[in-house]
Amino acid sequence: MSGRYRIGKAFRFEAAHFLPGLPTGHQCSRLHGHSYTVEFVLTADRLVVPGFVTDFGDLAPVKQMIDSTLDHRLLNDALPVTPTSENVAAWLAGWFAEHVEPSLPGRLVSVRVSETQSSWAEFVLEER
């Protein structure tokens, strides 16, 4: 049987943001906070010993960056992009591709950012 393997690892952080440029009175234009969940999905055609896409322990730099850069921060000040979930997902994917992925056997497929339990945005990388 042929196919690909996929794994996902979720991280949580608390942060505030506001979204400029929205109509007056829009709830997201005001400063507010979320309990964010971010999920990184990786894929591989083959497993590495002992049978991993990537060892979850090798994703520790992601947790370290989230804790030091995003957790309990105002995302408008912490990020170089307007902090919509879509932009945060794309920024995290770029950071991961530059700082973490080169040392891993797995390849990043997508990053999903949830502001609430019922809403999320996802950045999906092109087939590579």
Side-chain angles (χ1 to χ4, degrees):
M1 178 184 306
S2 65
R4 288 192 178 160
Y5 299 93
R6 287 172 42 142
I7 61 167
K9 176 72 174 163
F11 301 89
R12 295 185 47 79
F13 68 96
E14 308 294 326
H17 73 152
F18 62 90
L19 301 178
L22 292 172
T24 303
H26 191 289
Q27 64 185 7
C28 293
S29 68
R30 298 188 302 266
L31 180 64
H32 63 287
H34 295 287
S35 296
Y36 286 89
T37 301
V38 179
E39 183 178 8
F40 292 80
V41 178
L42 288 83
T43 188
D45 297 326
R46 294 178 198 86
L47 301 178
V48 295
V49 174
F52 292 154
V53 168
T54 290
D55 186 333
F56 287 119
D58 291 340
L59 301 180
V62 177
K63 172 88 168 105
Q64 293 165 352
M65 183 280 294
I66 287 173
D67 288 349
S68 66
T69 305
L70 304 178
D71 190 43
H72 286 81
R73 306 288 176 147
L74 177 59
L75 297 182
N76 299 70
D77 294 341
L79 296 173
V81 297
T82 301
T84 63
S85 292
E86 295 86 344
N87 284 337
V88 173
W91 183 83
L92 286 167
W95 180 89
F96 187 96
E98 180 179 345
H99 294 97
V100 181
E101 188 175 57
S103 66
L104 302 178
R107 297 177 314 279
L108 186 65
V109 173
S110 65
V111 177
R112 181 178 286 193
V113 173
S114 299
E115 293 181 352
T116 69
Q117 291 182 0
S118 62
S119 62
W120 54 265
E122 186 172 41
F123 183 80
V124 179
L125 285 84
E126 297 294 325
E127 185 72 28
R128 327 184 255 161

